[in-house]
């Protein structure tokens, strides 16, 4: 037997949360063909891992990479972290199915300008991903706000029965064409007016497909527990699994409440499939939200359409220079993006370490001065949180970004190193791996990621993408509820 690739002397962390073990791994025709002592085997390409870790490629379960996978298919911010699959369409915003009549409403503008929204049907988006051949695999959710933008003349009210029927039809067609489920961004003004009943009626489409409900909660501030209850109610009634997006305690008045949030999540999990994702930073980022403007913590401006020169500056300094209030300055900067230093580190660690949490970057690829999570989230969990702080073992860190994520989103034959699985792999040095991107210089590749394979093809090595792009569109497979057992 001659293999395509043979990776010798690896320390395999297989993604299942079991500890590392030494092995050779052979790849053939895009898949993992053999794992074990393969001394006599031959291959077209042989790599000596020299005891470094070989893990399943990381799955970024929370991204806004919808349009960037098509426009910049090299996907360097993700590939350089060891990410081999991205899930797009989070927080109620998706590139499809969308037919815009003007500029994209906030926060759909996080995905690009009006020109980026050219997929009136989910099938069009799927075809465009296939044609672009991105370097990473892509699976997609359908955004509630995106559906609203198609059918409501005014986003600041709840939908009528006719509008809900029209949205349901588009959601159903998208699920038939392989979407993973429905996402909402109820905290944003463009969806906040949607009553629970509106979301419930849309979510009613999910169970026939075994599809998932993911949600950027209606509030991450003081009413966060009530917002979680709303999410669980929607999931239970719709018979759909619930993933809470970027679970956090936002706002100084909310710090220290993560045990309550996690207790609520655990309790819900006893009766219903639920989980959450989170990113490993105590600062959030999104569009500049006037409701979140405060002097209780630092806010930096990442982009501003009227004032692009102020990217990277503190809102407080801008307001002082303009001799005005924070709120007035924020108004004058709109539309804009911001980083909010609004979380407590202890809460972040507690949520990150919880067995129900997966890692998702929530990176914003369109941002000219992005939150460093875009380039650093996964190595930061491996290096800073697992190795340096000892928050959890390395194999648990890997599980939270591979096996657990693949199970929750029904990504079959991915997320674990097993014979027969797709060869999405990352080779990294556990002693060197670290995030380099920070809030001052946010666009820097991680260190210690020494090789990345996507569907069996090495696409990143020696700190460089090599131009090979072998990602695929991953349509929903089977019933996602099955991935929540155990
Ligand atoms: Zn969000």
């Amino acid at each position: 037997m001659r293999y395509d690739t043979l990776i010798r002397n690896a320390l395999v962390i297989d993604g299942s949360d079991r500890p590392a073990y030494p092995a050779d791994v052979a790849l053939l025709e895009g898949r993992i063909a053999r794992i074990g002592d393969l001394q006599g085997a031959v291959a077209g390409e042989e790599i000596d891992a020299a005891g470094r870790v070989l893990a399943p490629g990381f799955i970024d379960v929370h991204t806004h990479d919808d349009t960037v996978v098509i426009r910049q298919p090299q996907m360097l911010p993700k590939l350089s972290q060891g990410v081999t699959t991205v899930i797009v369409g989070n927080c109620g915003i998706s590139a499809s199915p969308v037919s815009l009549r003007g500029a994209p409403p906030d926060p759909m503008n996080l995905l690009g300008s009006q020109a980026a929204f050219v997929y009136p049907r989910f099938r069009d988006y799927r075809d465009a991903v296939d044609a672009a051949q991105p370097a990473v695999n892509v699976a997609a959710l359908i955004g509630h706000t995106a559906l609203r933008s198609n059918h409501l003349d005014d986003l600041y009210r709840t939908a009528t029965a006719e509008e809900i029927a029209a949205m349901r039809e588009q959601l159903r067609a998208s699920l038939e064409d392989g979407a993973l489920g429905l996402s909402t961004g109820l905290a944003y003004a463009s969806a906040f007016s949607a009553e629970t009943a509106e979301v419930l009626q849309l979510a009613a489409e999910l169970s026939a497909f075994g599809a998932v409900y993911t949600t950027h909660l209606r509030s991450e501030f003081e009413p966060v527990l009530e917002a979680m209850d709303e999410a669980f109610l929607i999931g239970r009634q719709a018979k759909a699994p619930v993933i809470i997006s970027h679970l956090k305690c936002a706002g100084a008045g909310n710090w220290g409440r993560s045990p309550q949030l996690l207790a609520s999540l655990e309790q819900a999990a006893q009766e219903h499939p639920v989980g959450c994702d989170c990113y490993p930073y105590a600062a959030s980022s999104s569009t500049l939200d006037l409701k979140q403007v405060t002097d209780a913590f630092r806010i930096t401006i990442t982009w501003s359409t009227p004032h692009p020169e102020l990217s990277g500056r503190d809102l407080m300094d801008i307001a002082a220079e303009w001799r005005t209030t924070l709120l007035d300055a924020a108004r004058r900067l709109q539309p804009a993006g911001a980083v909010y230093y609004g979380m407590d580190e202890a809460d972040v660690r507690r949520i990150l370490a919880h067995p129900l949490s997966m890692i998702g970057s929530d990176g914003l690829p369109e941002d000219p001065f992005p939150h460093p999570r875009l380039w650093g989230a996964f190595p930061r969990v491996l290096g800073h949180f697992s190795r340096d702080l000892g928050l959890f073992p390395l194999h648990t860190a890997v599980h939270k970004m591979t096996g657990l994520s693949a199970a929750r989103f029904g990504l079959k034959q991915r997320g674990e190193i097993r014979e027969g699985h797709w060869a999405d792999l990352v080779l990294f040095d556990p002693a060197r791996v670290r995030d380099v991107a920070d809030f001052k210089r946010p666009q820097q590749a991680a260190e210690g990621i020494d090789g990345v394979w996507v569907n069996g093809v090495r696409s990143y090595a020696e700190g460089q993408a090599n131009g090979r792009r072998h990602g695929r569109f991953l349509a929903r497979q089977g019933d996602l509820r099955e991935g929540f057992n155990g």
Side-chain angles (χ1 to χ4, degrees):
M1 171 62 77
R2 184 183 168 85
Y3 298 106
D4 295 333
T5 303
L6 189 52
I7 305 166
R8 294 191 187 277
N9 306 315
L11 192 60
V12 173
I13 294 184
D14 69 6
S16 71
D17 206 13
R18 76 183 255 217
Y21 63 92
D24 307 324
V25 176
L27 316 184
L28 185 66
E29 291 172 356
R31 291 178 188 263
I32 298 164
R34 283 284 305 278
I35 306 167
D37 182 350
L38 305 177
Q39 273 187 24
V42 288
E45 184 181 31
E46 296 199 17
I47 286 145
D48 183 6
R52 286 170 294 178
V53 168
L54 188 69
F58 307 142
I59 298 166
D60 191 347
V61 295
H62 192 107
T63 86
H64 297 292
D65 292 337
D66 300 56
T67 65
V68 83
V69 294
I70 295 163
R71 288 179 294 143
Q72 293 165 36
Q74 196 63 70
M75 291 299 290
L76 197 57
K78 297 298 166 71
L79 199 60
S80 62
Q81 295 183 59
V83 170
T84 57
T85 298
V86 297
I87 295 178
V88 305
N90 281 281
C91 299
I93 59 176
S94 55
S96 76
V98 171
S99 308
L100 289 177
R101 287 172 291 262
D106 179 298
M108 284 174 69
N109 52 1
L110 292 174
L111 303 183
S113 63
Q114 187 177 354
F117 291 88
V118 289
Y119 315 107
R121 299 170 307 168
F122 184 68
R123 183 187 302 240
D124 303 323
Y125 176 72
R126 187 179 163 161
D127 291 346
V129 171
D130 281 335
Q133 293 186 300
V136 298
N137 302 309
V138 180
L141 297 155
I142 301 302
H144 168 230
T145 304
L147 296 173
R148 298 188 104 226
S149 77
N150 294 335
H151 298 289
L152 275 69
D153 52 4
D154 171 9
L155 296 174
Y156 305 95
R157 61 169 173 81
T158 203
T160 64
E162 293 73 33
E163 290 160 347
I164 289 172
M167 289 194 281
R168 283 182 72 153
E169 197 176 305
Q170 278 196 310
L171 175 60
R172 196 183 315 129
S174 304
L175 293 167
E176 279 165 3
D177 285 334
L180 295 175
L182 173 70
S183 79
T184 58
L186 299 173
Y188 291 102
S190 48
F192 188 77
S193 302
E195 290 167 1
T196 306
E198 175 184 323
V199 183
L200 265 171
Q201 289 177 72
L202 289 180
E205 295 293 335
L206 298 172
S207 81
F209 297 93
V212 71
Y213 175 63
T214 76
T215 178
H216 176 149
L217 295 169
R218 203 178 280 277
S219 176
E220 297 177 329
F221 289 80
E222 276 78 353
V224 60
L225 285 175
E226 292 80 350
M228 289 175 75
D229 286 343
E230 181 189 33
F232 300 145
L233 173 82
I234 290 165
R236 277 197 305 268
Q237 291 212 8
K239 298 185 174 59
V242 177
I243 302 290
I244 310 268
S245 297
H246 42 60
L247 184 65
K248 66 170 80 73
C249 298
N254 218 12
W255 289 350
R257 293 183 69 207
S258 53
Q260 294 174 47
L261 272 56
L262 293 169
S264 162
L265 191 68
E266 284 170 18
Q267 200 188 345
Q270 288 179 3
E271 296 159 24
H272 191 75
V274 304
C276 70
D277 63 65
C278 59
Y279 49 81
Y281 299 85
S284 63
S285 183
S286 188
T287 47
L288 178 58
D289 176 8
L290 298 179
K291 283 189 309 200
Q292 291 192 50
V293 169
T294 173
D295 58 8
F297 49 78
R298 195 177 154 209
I299 298 172
T300 53
I301 300 305
T302 60
W303 59 272
S304 163
T305 301
H307 293 285
E309 74 283 3
L310 296 177
S311 165
R313 299 279 312 278
D314 278 22
L315 179 61
M316 188 105 62
D317 296 341
I318 296 168
E321 275 178 31
W322 289 355
R323 297 175 189 281
T324 187
T325 61
L326 294 175
L327 194 60
D328 181 56
R331 265 197 207 103
R332 285 157 60 178
L333 289 161
Q334 298 278 17
V339 167
Y340 308 86
Y341 295 80
M343 283 177 261
D344 181 57
E345 182 68 28
D347 286 323
V348 174
R349 291 184 193 181
R350 241 180 247 121
I351 292 168
L352 209 53
H354 194 276
L356 289 174
S357 74
M358 298 173 275
I359 309 304
S361 71
D362 201 9
L364 300 173
E366 286 295 304
D367 199 318
F369 195 77
H371 186 304
R373 62 196 185 188
L374 176 66
W375 286 81
F378 291 82
R380 184 170 174 78
V381 172
L382 301 171
H384 178 66
F385 283 106
S386 175
R387 180 191 59 224
D388 298 344
L389 296 179
L391 193 60
F392 31 64
L394 190 58
H395 60 86
T396 299
V398 168
H399 177 62
K400 286 172 164 295
M401 47 184 83
T402 59
L404 182 64
S405 320
R408 294 300 197 239
F409 285 95
L411 307 177
K412 301 270 196 270
Q413 299 186 312
R414 298 188 193 268
E416 290 192 13
I417 296 185
R418 284 207 217 181
E419 292 181 359
H421 275 215
W422 290 103
D424 290 345
L425 298 166
V426 53
L427 180 69
F428 69 88
D429 183 340
R432 280 169 45 237
V433 67
R434 74 173 188 102
D435 54 310
V436 179
D438 61 21
F439 288 95
K440 287 207 179 80
R441 295 185 59 206
Q443 290 167 302
Q444 298 189 78
E447 282 177 6
I449 303 293
D450 293 337
V452 182
W453 287 259
V454 180
N455 295 307
V457 177
R458 187 147 70 143
S459 309
Y460 186 84
E462 327 291 342
Q464 301 278 332
N466 57 23
R468 295 181 186 163
R469 307 200 311 260
H470 283 262
R472 295 179 189 165
F473 185 88
L474 305 181
R476 190 193 65 261
Q477 290 175 278
D479 189 330
L480 272 54
R481 286 169 290 209
E482 289 165 9
F484 285 76
N485 304 326

